Amino acid sequence: MTDDHGQRPSSRQLAGKISARLTHLIATLYPDERTRPGYARLAKEIREATGGGLSSTYLWELTTGRKHNVTVEQLGVLADYFGVPPEYFFNEEVALRVNAQLQLATALRDAKVRTLALRAEGLSGETLDALLAMVDQARKLHRLPAVEEPAPKDTTADRGPLP
Amino acid sequence: MTDDHGQRPSSRQLAGKISARLTHLIATLYPDERTRPGYARLAKEIREATGGGLSSTYLWELTTGRKHNVTVEQLGVLADYFGVPPEYFFNEEVALRVNAQLQLATALRDAKVRTLALRAEGLSGETLDALLAMVDQARKLHRLPAVEEPAPKDTTADRGPLP
DNA sequence: TCGGGTCGTACACTTCAGCGGACAACCACG
DNA sequence: CGTGGTTGTCCGCTGAAGTGTACGACCCGA
């Protein structure tokens, strides 16, 4: 036979992607670098929240890219804690979609931001543009990084990552 | 902080499910037990088809349940060869959906056609319509007869492994 | 100034994923 | 009857996954 069997190069290479994904997840969950817990605290929290084991050292090795070929068990623990589907770690598409939701969910954790969003409902495009410009200016004043536009078309609302 | 963090109980337990999944995949891919290649041949084929490494011994250990905590790399190789999304191995829902498709695809003996069907999983109706049109056009080019809808929809035909 | 805490980093260590190589049993073909 | 190939099964090893413990650096309250 010697059939080449499709030979599509996708799907398999995540190769260190995990570090980037983890970094992003942590940064999204804890946007404030000052308040952000360290690897020790985080690992402890993960252990308590999910019941699965995960050492702080290994968490550090993963996020810094020193280890990358994680087993499904640890991957499950990670995905479980961060509230993302396991596919998040090897499916680019899913990752993008979840990232957008994560960003939104994080923003909405702030009660005032939530209120602001609710109030903004129904405003005209021009007014929203003006508000956006103001917000951007405010971010600059606060020395916050600029946000990239998340995926605009999101009709199917699947499982929400964060409460 | 003090957040209880959702505590969703899903997602993490696959725990030996891999053996069942692999058994089912192999049984579906090679329904005839007489013709079915052994672990050695299968592993060799996987190696050639995906480029990733996988020993026959380990394949046996996985399918027989002796090892279960596979790493993402090997999981990717497996998923790549069998043409299923990696989620197949830890998402019950996806597994059921894919299993149904696998069963249907068993009728098609061509490995590439089977892979195509699996890959099409999850696409929108419009996209599928477009693909169908393209396939029909290709069939005309190859002077193949048009196919009429053969199979009645078997929606609840998602029995597990072989009876 | 001194502890007590947490931070990131770095070793040495244990465990097990994953592989190589062997075994007996089976099925061909001579 | 060999002889050669492939089958499932198994043992033992290597190397990487994953952990424990510790170190210096920093921050904060006393």
Side-chain angles (χ1 to χ4, degrees):
Chain A
M1 307 81 202
T2 72
D3 58 323
D4 55 359
H5 210 284
Q7 188 69 5
R8 95 104 75 82
S10 80
S11 188
R12 199 163 74 268
Q13 70 287 17
L14 70 168
K17 295 283 195 82
I18 292 190
S19 66
R21 296 280 151 84
L22 267 181
T23 306
H24 185 247
L25 278 178
I26 296 178
T28 311
L29 229 179
Y30 303 96
D32 191 356
E33 267 192 78
R34 308 291 158 194
T35 319
R36 165 150 68 223
Y39 294 110
R41 274 244 111 84
L42 191 52
K44 186 181 175 185
E45 181 128 345
I46 292 179
R47 237 173 289 129
E48 291 174 355
T50 67
L54 190 79
S55 72
S56 61
T57 304
Y58 191 48
L59 183 61
W60 168 69
E61 287 173 322
L62 280 182
T63 59
T64 55
R66 250 152 265 246
K67 298 279 180 71
H68 36 273
N69 195 18
V70 74
T71 62
V72 288
E73 195 163 310
Q74 317 281 359
L75 191 87
V77 172
L78 256 6
D80 206 354
Y81 174 75
F82 286 109
V84 299
E87 309 94 278
Y88 176 81
F89 289 98
F90 29 49
N91 191 330
E92 195 74 31
E93 201 174 336
V94 170
L96 288 179
R97 224 173 43 211
V98 174
N99 275 347
Q101 293 203 352
L102 274 178
Q103 209 171 21
L104 181 64
T106 308
L108 290 184
R109 265 200 313 192
D110 189 327
K112 291 183 181 175
V113 172
R114 208 163 44 230
T115 307
L116 176 65
L118 287 173
R119 296 272 164 78
E121 197 266 339
L123 296 183
S124 73
E126 292 85 359
T127 309
L128 286 177
D129 282 341
L131 283 171
L132 282 175
M134 293 168 68
V135 170
D136 283 342
Q137 199 59 35
R139 288 188 73 83
K140 279 181 189 165
L141 287 177
H142 286 269
R143 308 196 184 281
L144 288 171
V147 291
E148 59 257 60
E149 197 78 3
K153 43 173 239 179
D154 191 353
T155 56
T156 60
D158 50 329
R159 55 199 235 95
L162 292 179
Chain B
M1 303 90 192
T2 75
D3 52 329
D4 59 353
H5 214 283
Q7 187 71 5
R8 85 177 74 255
S10 74
S11 190
R12 200 163 71 269
Q13 68 286 17
L14 72 168
K17 295 281 194 85
I18 293 190
S19 66
R21 296 282 151 84
L22 267 182
T23 306
H24 183 246
L25 278 178
I26 296 177
T28 312
L29 191 56
Y30 302 95
D32 191 355
E33 264 191 80
R34 307 292 156 194
T35 319
R36 167 150 65 221
Y39 294 110
R41 275 235 111 79
L42 191 54
K44 186 180 176 187
E45 181 128 346
I46 292 179
R47 235 174 291 129
E48 292 174 354
T50 68
L54 191 80
S55 72
S56 62
T57 306
Y58 191 46
L59 184 60
W60 168 70
E61 286 174 323
L62 281 182
T63 58
T64 55
R66 247 150 266 246
K67 298 281 178 70
H68 36 275
N69 194 17
V70 75
T71 63
V72 287
E73 195 164 311
Q74 317 282 355
L75 191 85
V77 171
L78 257 7
D80 206 354
Y81 175 76
F82 286 109
V84 300
E87 309 94 275
Y88 176 80
F89 289 98
F90 29 48
N91 190 330
E92 196 75 29
E93 200 174 336
V94 170
L96 286 180
R97 228 168 41 205
V98 175
N99 273 347
Q101 299 217 357
L102 272 177
Q103 211 167 21
L104 175 67
T106 308
L108 314 174
R109 289 284 71 213
D110 190 322
K112 291 184 182 175
V113 172
R114 191 170 50 246
T115 306
L116 174 66
L118 287 171
R119 296 270 164 76
E121 195 266 340
L123 296 182
S124 72
E126 292 85 359
T127 308
L128 286 176
D129 284 341
L131 283 171
L132 283 174
M134 293 169 66
V135 170
D136 285 341
Q137 198 60 33
R139 290 187 70 84
K140 279 179 188 166
L141 286 178
H142 286 269
R143 307 195 185 285
L144 289 170
V147 291
E148 56 252 85
E149 200 76 4
K153 68 274 194 99
D154 51 304
T155 54
T156 59
D158 58 280
R159 267 285 285 167
L162 296 185

